[in-house]
Amino acid sequence: MLGKWTLNKIVTSGYTPEETLKDPKKINGTVNYGTTSDYIDFKPNNDDQVELSLSGNRTIGTYVIIYSDQFSMDINDGLNYCMVNSITENKLEFTAKIDKTNVTKIYSLSR
């Protein structure tokens, strides 16, 4: 899981109509990415940093591996509890649930 992954798409669900009206960044549905500026980098440093870049907008957070198929990620939208759906040498898909919300995001990554 460690290292840099190209972010292909994020499928989001769980935002209420009120949330999407208040903040246009909070949308349900599929957003496709896939350029070199769209990535997630799970850094193997001692700080357990994760770097998320969406369309060139970078955010630094932290991650904690809980079990072999579960980890948490504290990033721009809050604390995410993540479950690995599938992982191979070249593909990673995980589902992230944002703490204290009904919002779920499915991340599809490749390298």
Side-chain angles (χ1 to χ4, degrees):
M1 186 180 105
L2 295 178
K4 191 171 185 177
W5 296 84
T6 299
L7 180 56
N8 298 316
K9 71 178 176 178
I10 300 174
V11 180
T12 304
S13 61
Y15 283 120
T16 65
E18 294 80 22
E19 288 172 313
T20 57
L21 281 174
K22 288 180 188 171
D23 186 348
K25 292 179 186 164
K26 295 181 176 181
I27 55 169
N28 294 313
T30 301
V31 178
N32 291 303
Y33 295 98
T35 69
T36 54
S37 64
D38 302 323
Y39 63 85
I40 295 180
D41 189 357
F42 294 99
K43 298 185 181 291
N45 59 19
N46 291 334
D47 297 331
D48 294 331
Q49 288 182 322
V50 60
E51 181 178 339
L52 173 63
S53 177
L54 300 174
S55 304
N57 296 317
R58 290 178 43 229
T59 304
I60 302 280
T62 57
Y63 69 94
V64 176
I65 296 174
I66 301 167
Y67 298 109
S68 62
D69 63 347
Q70 296 175 34
F71 62 99
S72 64
M73 202 170 48
D74 197 355
I75 199 87
N76 57 348
D77 57 4
L79 182 59
N80 288 256
Y81 295 103
C82 306
M83 172 71 78
V84 174
N85 301 334
S86 63
I87 187 169
T88 66
E89 188 176 319
N90 301 317
K91 292 194 181 294
L92 170 61
E93 183 181 280
F94 65 89
T95 300
K97 182 174 183 320
I98 302 174
D99 190 34
K100 297 183 174 79
T101 71
N102 291 321
V103 178
T104 301
K105 295 182 177 186
I106 301 171
Y107 290 78
S108 295
L109 314 169
S110 64
R111 59 174 161 201

